[in-house]
Amino acid sequence: MTTTGFIENPQKKLWLAAVKPPMYSVAIIPIWVGSAVAFSQTKSLHWSIFLSFLFSAILIIAWLNLSNDVFDSETGIDKNKAHSVVNLTGNKSLVFWISNICLGLGVLGICAIALLQKDWTVLGIVVACCALGYTYQGPPFRLGYLGLGEFICFVTFGPMAIAAAYYSQAQSFATPAFAASILIGISTSIILFCSHFHQVEDDLAAGKRSPIVRLGTEKGARVLAGLTASLFVLTVLFILLGYFPIWTLGIFASLPFAYQLVRHVGEYHDRPERVSNCKFIAVKLHFWSGLLLGLGFVLPQFF
């Protein structure tokens, strides 16, 4: 291998880490689950709206990721983060404007849905999601530095996102969609929760009171175990209450990822170099549990 090739390969890996392709499942899964629940209730799916919402959600997540890199660069919390987009480009202003373009295009997509349906409810929910998402890292709020990031994540990617996706298909709200949103909100928050285990020192230096800074890594690992178990306990509860069809028990097929996550963090919670990959295990759990949950609503319509 040439020296140039050796240099380019690590650079490529840094860019992949910065772009975070797996993280875009947090945009896909709420739209999928909300639309799947709507399909189970209405027996129809508006594909053009579904695809438009999906594309818009991906753009909005791109805005969130890029703008968070910009805001973190201003506090110095990312000074040791080689895969920060701002650190890779050395151009904070460029990253900021690209993020705003992504936001604008994403909101335009939602506007198109609203115009098509002559109903602004979905747009209102999405704009509220974006505003709340901004408060996570954006000045002067920076609520993530107060340890409120997981709560924001739960609300925006759970109840609000799924309510918007469901409404875009059914033009109404329903209890099964709200119940499903609790699970997706938890599984999404788990990803953010896991991202703190390996950066306690950097968080402390920047004055960020993340849940792991407040709890400590050992107690944080126990909280993670409880949150992860709740996905399966709540599924059974919602089936018993009649909110979920029995087919949603398929979510238990994601148990191997849940076990892997809890075991990995339980063993390496205080070893930053070993626990740093736990958020990617959490992404797998979020994706597969969400995919299977949605299928649990869709499949009964065909059998």
Side-chain angles (χ1 to χ4, degrees):
M1 180 183 292
T2 64
T3 303
T4 303
F6 181 78
I7 294 172
E8 287 176 350
N9 190 45
Q11 191 75 359
K12 182 179 179 181
K13 289 182 178 179
L14 285 175
W15 273 105
L16 281 172
V19 174
K20 309 181 186 78
M23 296 298 291
Y24 286 85
S25 67
V26 302
I28 295 168
I29 292 301
I31 311 307
W32 155 247
V33 172
S35 299
V37 179
F39 177 73
S40 74
Q41 302 288 304
T42 66
K43 308 299 185 290
S44 66
L45 182 69
H46 303 286
W47 280 100
S48 59
I49 291 173
F50 173 74
L51 294 173
S52 296
F53 209 145
L54 200 60
F55 184 66
S56 295
I58 289 170
L59 285 169
I60 290 170
I61 291 297
W63 159 71
L64 198 61
N65 288 338
L66 291 171
S67 62
N68 282 348
D69 267 10
V70 172
F71 299 140
D72 279 343
S73 72
E74 294 173 348
T75 65
I77 199 170
D78 276 357
K79 64 180 180 180
N80 297 319
K81 186 177 177 181
H83 59 275
S84 160
V85 178
V86 172
N87 291 342
L88 283 169
T89 61
N91 193 331
K92 182 174 71 175
S93 179
L94 175 64
V95 176
F96 179 69
W97 283 109
I98 290 174
S99 74
N100 286 335
I101 289 170
C102 289
L103 174 62
L105 291 173
V107 172
L108 274 177
I110 303 300
C111 285
I113 294 173
L115 286 169
L116 180 66
Q117 297 183 329
K118 297 181 175 60
D119 187 334
W120 300 95
T121 304
V122 172
L123 179 62
I125 296 172
V126 170
V127 169
C129 280
C130 292
L132 192 55
Y134 174 83
T135 66
Y136 169 59
Q137 298 287 57
F141 308 100
R142 301 192 190 279
L143 297 183
Y145 284 72
L146 302 178
L148 298 175
E150 280 69 16
F151 174 75
I152 293 171
C153 190
F154 172 83
V155 172
T156 53
F157 291 101
M160 293 181 76
I162 289 185
Y166 183 91
Y167 194 94
S168 72
Q169 294 288 333
Q171 281 73 64
S172 64
F173 300 105
T175 301
F178 178 72
S181 76
I182 294 174
L183 271 68
I184 301 305
I186 292 172
S187 65
T188 311
S189 298
I190 283 173
I191 298 173
L192 181 59
F193 191 79
C194 286
S195 72
H196 301 305
F197 279 98
H198 71 288
Q199 55 186 33
V200 173
E201 290 186 9
D202 286 346
D203 284 351
L204 281 170
K208 185 174 183 178
R209 302 290 293 172
S210 72
I212 303 305
V213 167
R214 293 175 181 272
L215 294 169
T217 60
E218 185 177 0
K219 188 178 290 185
R222 293 199 295 270
V223 170
L224 173 64
L227 288 172
T228 303
S230 73
L231 297 174
F232 305 96
V233 173
L234 286 172
T235 298
V236 174
L237 174 62
F238 291 147
I239 289 172
L240 294 175
L241 290 173
Y243 300 148
F244 287 3
I246 192 71
W247 288 73
T248 55
L249 284 175
I251 196 175
F252 278 80
S254 66
L255 264 175
F257 298 111
Y259 176 75
Q260 181 187 11
L261 177 63
V262 170
R263 182 179 180 183
H264 184 76
V265 174
E267 186 171 354
Y268 300 118
H269 61 85
D270 58 348
R271 297 170 62 181
E273 72 285 354
R274 296 298 299 272
V275 79
S276 62
N277 67 327
C278 70
K279 65 181 178 182
F280 297 109
I281 305 173
V283 169
K284 292 178 183 177
L285 172 62
H286 170 266
F287 176 78
W288 286 107
S289 62
L291 178 66
L292 292 164
L293 179 64
L295 282 174
F297 282 95
V298 170
L299 291 177
Q301 313 313 312
F302 299 99
F303 296 96

